[in-house]
Amino acid sequence: MSIFNNYYTKYRFTFIEDTIKFTYMGRIFKVLIISLFLTSASLAGSDGENELSKNSNGEVKDCFETINRGVFVFNEGLRKVVFEPLAKGYLYLPAPLRAGTGNMLNNLTNVVTIPNNVLQGEFKLAAKNTARFTVNTTIGILGIFDPASKIGLNDYDKEDYGQTLGTWGVGEGCYIVLPVLGPSTARDAFASLASFSGGDAWYNVTVRNDTHYVSDFDYYFSRGARGVDFLAKNLGALDNLEENSIDFYASVKSLYLQERRQQIANADEITETFDDSDWEEIETQ
Amino acid sequence: MKIFKKFLFLFLFLISSTTYTLAKNPSVFISEITESASTILKKDISMDEKANELIRIAEQNVDIDGIGLYSLGKHRKSIDTNQLEQYKSIFREYFLKSFSSRLSQYSDPKINVISQNVINDKYTIVSSVLVKTDERPEIKIDWRVYTKDPSNPLIRDLIIEGLSLARTQKEEFNSVIQSANGDVNALLENLQNFNSK
């Protein structure tokens, strides 16, 4: 119930909110403005075809590699000093509590997924996800439980505005690393503007509109919790990757771009999203 | 003459049946490897011993030279013969070291082979899942198996939840070479540093 009665909490966190608004959000906004320019530039050079539909092996340009690497180092420091201890602490919580938190955060993403299903012309999927969201928010008590999966409303794939632009044929633009938020592309960062401009119902009821039930803090807390939840699930994997990489930055970049292409193509196999002709040239038998 | 015909028939039969038995089904091949790896990881032996046994499996069943060449990407064409030989040797050491380090962290991985998709004569993708535990969810793992010699299939790539390890490595190597203005020696140096850690 505390989520509905945090009137006082809201004022207690005024300082944090203001800091976030004027520094953190300010930075993001600047990056997004730059991204807008970059995306336009990348579109200007496009032949109008969907880059992904060409099944190309095309590399995404790292236009600001020096800056990106600097931000990456900063983010890595933040991960190790702030987020990793939080994730390790989070892992001490009982498994059902972690599962419930994960479910609740996952359920919240539906408010961005559903409009994007519609924008991508996936109306059946939009209806299914709406039903899923309704069942889990009500019967599943604000998404803590996932009864929808038990009645066949499973196989949920998150969608966002970056993926929608991708399905519409907009290329990635330059690769960028955002402070705190991590890897992105010009297209995806630009698309995030849609979420801050009314395209994310959770953002609307927390940050954009002054409601008595939820506040800005709830939005940023949920974003932070999502990051901690993700990190807790991938703690060993990330450290392992870093330990076994000769260029960790390049590995993370590659994995991020591969994942985004897959998400956009809604593909399960790499062979569907990448040109594998390179393999054909190599003969060792 | 009859005896000769019988002998010829028997000879041809033996040849055909030998060829048949030698061809290894990629799904069975992957099942056997994962089974062997799982047995090693479950053993009550030191990490170093586990790593050595895993390395032995990898040397027999992974096309390390093939992965090394793929990882060079476009630089494969510009590298000279001496550099290539040096690279192959350094890469082998690097691969086995990072491979055993990555795998020996799992204590009891249970992998179930689900299906296989024959892409062409040279490649089959075997799909499997790493069974979920309390610590992690179910993970999809696809194996790119090189089947040019059907009697000796070799693993060329691991695709975890759709993310190719070979591709990631290729892009990582490319980044190192590009940062040194296309000098492949920078990659060799980095790999050597990794090997000596």
Side-chain angles (χ1 to χ4, degrees), chain A residues 57 59 65 69 240 243-247 250-251 254-255 258-259 262 268-271 274-276 278-285, chain B residues 63 70 76 94 98 101-102 105 120 122-123 140 144 146 148-149 152 154 156 159 161-164 167-168 170-172 174-175 194:
Chain A
N57 213 356
E59 288 174 23
E65 190 175 342
R69 281 185 185 269
N240 200 311
E243 208 176 293
N244 291 294
S245 295
I246 55 168
D247 186 349
S251 293
S254 170
L255 289 171
Q258 284 185 59
E259 190 178 27
Q262 268 207 311
D268 287 331
E269 292 168 17
I270 190 144
T271 44
F274 289 101
D275 175 15
D276 289 316
D278 225 16
W279 279 120
E280 298 296 334
E281 290 177 16
I282 297 158
E283 300 281 2
T284 52
Q285 283 184 331
Chain B
D63 184 9
Y70 174 83
R76 200 168 52 239
Y94 160 79
S98 66
S101 158
R102 279 173 207 218
Q105 295 212 341
N120 54 36
K122 287 200 283 185
Y123 291 109
K140 278 181 67 176
R144 177 182 285 274
Y146 183 47
K148 193 179 176 197
D149 175 1
N152 183 29
L154 293 168
R156 276 196 161 176
I159 301 146
E161 289 287 329
L163 308 177
S164 156
R167 173 174 286 272
T168 306
K170 181 169 87 166
E171 288 173 359
E172 188 186 4
N174 182 46
S175 170
F194 180 90

Side-chain angles (χ1 to χ4, degrees), chain B residues 106-124:
Chain B
Y106 291 95
S107 53
D108 180 18
K110 187 162 171 40
I111 293 176
N112 291 335
V113 171
I114 308 292
S115 61
Q116 68 175 42
N117 176 24
V118 180
I119 297 178
N120 54 36
D121 288 348
K122 287 200 283 185
Y123 291 109
T124 294

Side-chain angles (χ1 to χ4, degrees), chain A residues 6-276:
Chain A
N6 55 3
Y7 191 75
Y8 296 106
T9 316
K10 182 176 178 178
Y11 291 100
R12 202 187 308 157
F13 288 102
T14 304
F15 174 73
I16 298 171
E17 288 168 11
D18 289 347
T19 310
I20 288 168
K21 268 182 190 166
F22 295 114
T23 58
Y24 178 70
M25 290 303 293
R27 272 187 218 165
I28 290 179
F29 188 70
K30 277 179 200 166
V31 174
L32 292 176
I33 292 297
I34 295 166
S35 307
L36 171 64
F37 167 74
L38 292 171
T39 309
S40 309
S42 71
L43 282 172
S46 161
D47 58 4
E49 266 189 85
N50 182 349
E51 279 186 22
L52 294 175
S53 69
K54 290 178 190 167
N55 202 18
S56 73
N57 213 356
E59 288 174 23
V60 173
K61 281 187 182 169
D62 200 343
C63 317
F64 308 104
E65 190 175 342
T66 312
I67 299 167
N68 282 345
R69 281 185 185 269
V71 178
F72 181 76
V73 169
F74 169 76
N75 286 351
E76 276 304 292
L78 212 57
R79 171 170 78 89
K80 283 171 187 163
V81 175
V82 180
F83 292 110
E84 230 172 62
L86 283 172
K88 282 177 181 162
Y90 176 74
L91 283 173
Y92 280 110
L93 294 176
L97 197 61
R98 274 185 281 136
T101 310
N103 285 344
M104 197 161 84
L105 296 168
N106 206 32
N107 190 49
L108 266 181
T109 62
N110 268 297
V111 298
V112 175
T113 296
I114 294 163
N116 280 289
N117 287 147
V118 173
L119 289 170
Q120 291 171 29
E122 301 272 6
F123 300 111
K124 271 189 184 172
L125 209 54
K128 182 185 163 188
N129 287 335
T130 305
R132 186 185 154 80
F133 179 63
T134 310
V135 170
N136 282 350
T137 308
T138 53
I139 303 167
I141 314 171
L142 297 176
I144 295 170
F145 303 101
D146 182 16
S149 289
K150 293 189 175 70
I151 56 169
L153 298 168
N154 46 1
D155 295 332
Y156 170 63
D157 285 322
K158 284 177 208 159
E159 297 287 341
D160 55 50
Y161 292 98
Q163 289 181 55
T164 296
L165 286 182
T167 57
W168 288 355
V170 179
E172 287 114 327
C174 293
Y175 175 73
I176 49 175
V177 183
L178 297 171
V180 187
L181 299 176
S184 189
T185 58
R187 178 197 60 210
D188 293 342
F190 170 69
S192 305
L193 277 177
S195 291
F196 299 121
S197 316
D200 177 352
W202 177 233
Y203 181 80
N204 294 345
V205 297
T206 49
V207 183
R208 270 168 71 90
N209 301 316
D210 189 17
T211 62
H212 291 295
Y213 304 110
V214 280
S215 67
D216 300 24
F217 174 76
D218 297 307
Y219 177 79
Y220 295 114
F221 182 78
S222 68
R223 289 299 299 262
R226 206 187 296 169
V228 171
D229 185 59
F230 171 82
L231 198 58
K233 285 173 182 159
N234 296 282
L235 213 51
L238 270 171
D239 290 340
N240 200 311
L241 181 69
E242 183 176 12
E243 208 176 293
N244 291 294
S245 295
I246 55 168
D247 186 349
F248 186 40
Y249 167 84
S251 293
V252 171
K253 177 185 160 193
S254 170
L255 289 171
Y256 172 78
L257 294 173
Q258 284 185 59
E259 190 178 27
R260 285 302 283 174
R261 287 188 180 186
Q262 268 207 311
Q263 286 170 342
I264 289 162
N266 289 327
D268 287 331
E269 292 168 17
I270 190 144
T271 44
E272 292 176 39
T273 48
F274 289 101
D275 175 15
D276 289 316

